[in-house]
């Protein structure tokens, strides 16, 4: 298999990556055939996966604009993935040019491509780190030099927590991050769930099985389990809801959404 010029040396391009599959769902070009093959297999069971990812990105953009409207100009995006149009720094800095954005990912392709995209932007950085080791994130020089954690930060955990298994204790990792953030900070979460998917649990389970087979287990949690990630935060209205139902841009926007867009949950919480 020929290695594209943008692919960092040392990565195994014969193994699917969830961030590159996500890039494929969104119509990006930074993915390999092995990623496309796995994504297409998952779509055989759940054909609406691209619609879910599009709804996820649209929610993220609304949440970022909301954060800026609340006076928050610092963003920590963990599990940021491969940059595509409408990234956090683009949305935040369009609303507030002084906004600062720190991205975090453990995928070498995501990190390398992010560095290329962010070159020349002195208010945005990328750090290679893993959500399962939160202290690595907050102590990263790139992040500590850009963000002032004594002031409110919007912490984005968008479509990442469902890739952390219970054995890795994601609730404790989120709690550790929360403790590092100043009062008034926001936490922004989307999470996959069997709830809301317009398929039977067995049908949706076929797509989950594809992720399990590529050794990137997709953990489908209940609404109650997802709500636990917001402990220590006051939920912003309308609470923990499907992605299109969180502060839609227009009153009638939800009416035209694809049924798959309502899969899983999204919410924003404010640290007291």
């Amino acid at each position: 298999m020929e290695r594209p010029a943008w692919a960092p040396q040392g990565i195994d391009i014969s193994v699917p990556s969830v961030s590159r599959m996500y890039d494929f769902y969104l119509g990006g070009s930074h993915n390999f055939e092995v990623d496309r093959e796995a994504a297409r297999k998952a779509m055989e069971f759940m054909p609406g996966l691209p619609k879910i990812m599009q709804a996820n990105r649209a929610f993220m953009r609304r949440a970022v604009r909301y954060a800026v409207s609340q006076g928050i100009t610092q963003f920590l995006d963990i599990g940021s993935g491969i940059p595509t149009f409408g990234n956090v720094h683009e949305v935040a800095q369009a609303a507030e040019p002084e906004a600062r954005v720190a991205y975090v990912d453990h995928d070498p392709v995501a990190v390398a491509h992010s560095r290329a995209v962010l070159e020349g932007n002195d208010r945005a950085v990328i750090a290679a780190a893993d959500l399962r080791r939160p202290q690595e994130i907050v102590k990263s020089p790139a992040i500590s030099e850009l963000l002032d954690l004594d002031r409110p930060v919007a912490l984005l955990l968008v479509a990442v927590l469902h890739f952390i298994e219970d054995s890795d204790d994601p609730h404790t990792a989120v709690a550790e991050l929360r403790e590092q953030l100043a009062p008034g900070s926001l936490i922004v979460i989307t999470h996959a769930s069997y709830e809301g998917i317009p398929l039977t649990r067995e049908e949706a389970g076929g797509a989950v099985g594809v992720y399990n087979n590529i050794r990137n287990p997709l953990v489908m949690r209940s609404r109650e389990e997802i709500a636990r990630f917001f402990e220590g935060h006051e939920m912003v209205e309308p609470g923990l809801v499907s992605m299109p139902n969180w502060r839609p841009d227009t009153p009638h926007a939800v009416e035209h959404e694809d049924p798959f867009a309502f899969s899983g949950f999204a919410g924003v919480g404010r640290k007291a």
Side-chain angles (χ1 to χ4, degrees):
M1 183 185 301
E2 186 176 350
R3 180 181 297 272
W6 51 263
Q9 293 296 320
I11 68 164
D12 187 347
I13 63 176
S14 68
V15 177
S17 153
V18 293
S19 64
R20 298 194 304 264
M21 290 170 67
Y22 188 86
D23 179 66
F24 171 73
Y25 293 136
L26 290 173
S29 59
H30 288 79
N31 48 76
F32 308 130
E33 181 54 36
V34 67
D35 306 307
R36 297 188 284 273
E37 182 179 344
R40 292 187 193 107
K41 183 65 176 177
M43 289 169 61
E44 290 178 12
F45 298 100
M46 197 182 297
L49 277 167
K51 292 294 183 182
I52 296 173
M53 306 312 168
Q54 291 164 17
N56 185 75
R57 295 288 292 187
F59 160 77
M60 178 273 289
R61 291 191 288 268
R62 296 196 304 276
V64 168
R65 290 194 292 268
Y66 171 79
V68 174
S69 77
Q70 299 300 297
I72 293 180
T73 59
Q74 300 189 107
F75 296 83
L76 177 56
D77 183 2
I78 301 177
S80 51
I82 296 170
T84 56
F85 177 75
N87 279 313
V88 173
H89 73 281
E90 293 173 327
V91 178
Q93 292 174 353
E96 171 49 70
E98 297 299 311
R100 296 173 178 266
V101 179
Y103 292 109
V104 176
D105 208 288
H106 70 277
D107 185 313
V109 172
V111 172
H113 193 50
S114 295
R115 286 195 176 119
V117 168
L118 298 175
E119 187 174 359
N121 188 331
D122 61 1
R123 293 186 177 87
V125 298
I126 175 73
D130 195 312
L131 173 57
R132 287 166 289 199
R133 293 183 288 277
Q135 293 304 315
E136 286 185 10
I137 295 173
V138 296
K139 293 178 180 178
S140 165
I143 292 172
S144 60
E145 290 172 9
L146 184 73
L147 303 183
D148 178 1
L149 297 185
D150 291 328
R151 297 194 299 111
V153 172
L155 169 63
L156 281 75
L157 299 171
V158 176
V160 63
L161 287 167
H162 47 234
F163 290 114
I164 309 296
E165 296 183 87
D166 290 340
S167 58
D168 287 318
D169 200 0
H171 289 93
T172 294
V174 173
E176 286 187 29
L177 288 168
R178 180 184 67 239
E179 292 305 309
Q180 299 295 321
L181 302 182
S185 293
L186 298 179
I187 185 170
V188 178
I189 293 175
T190 64
H191 199 296
S193 175
Y194 284 116
E195 298 175 46
I197 299 177
L199 298 171
T200 67
R201 187 184 180 101
E202 290 71 25
E203 290 169 330
V208 173
V210 171
Y211 283 91
N212 292 341
N213 290 339
I214 64 171
R215 300 180 182 178
N216 281 283
L218 178 59
V219 184
M220 306 290 269
R221 295 188 172 96
S222 68
R223 186 181 187 279
E224 181 179 358
E225 289 172 321
I226 297 167
R228 283 185 54 208
F229 289 114
F230 290 95
E231 289 180 358
H233 296 83
E234 177 186 353
M235 294 301 294
V236 171
E237 288 293 334
L240 188 59
V241 296
S242 62
M243 292 178 288
N245 283 317
W246 196 89
R247 297 178 177 251
D249 290 329
T250 66
H252 303 292
V254 176
E255 299 173 9
H256 305 290
E257 283 285 1
D258 185 281
F260 276 97
F262 296 89
S263 306
F265 293 98
V268 177
R270 179 180 287 105
K271 182 178 177 179

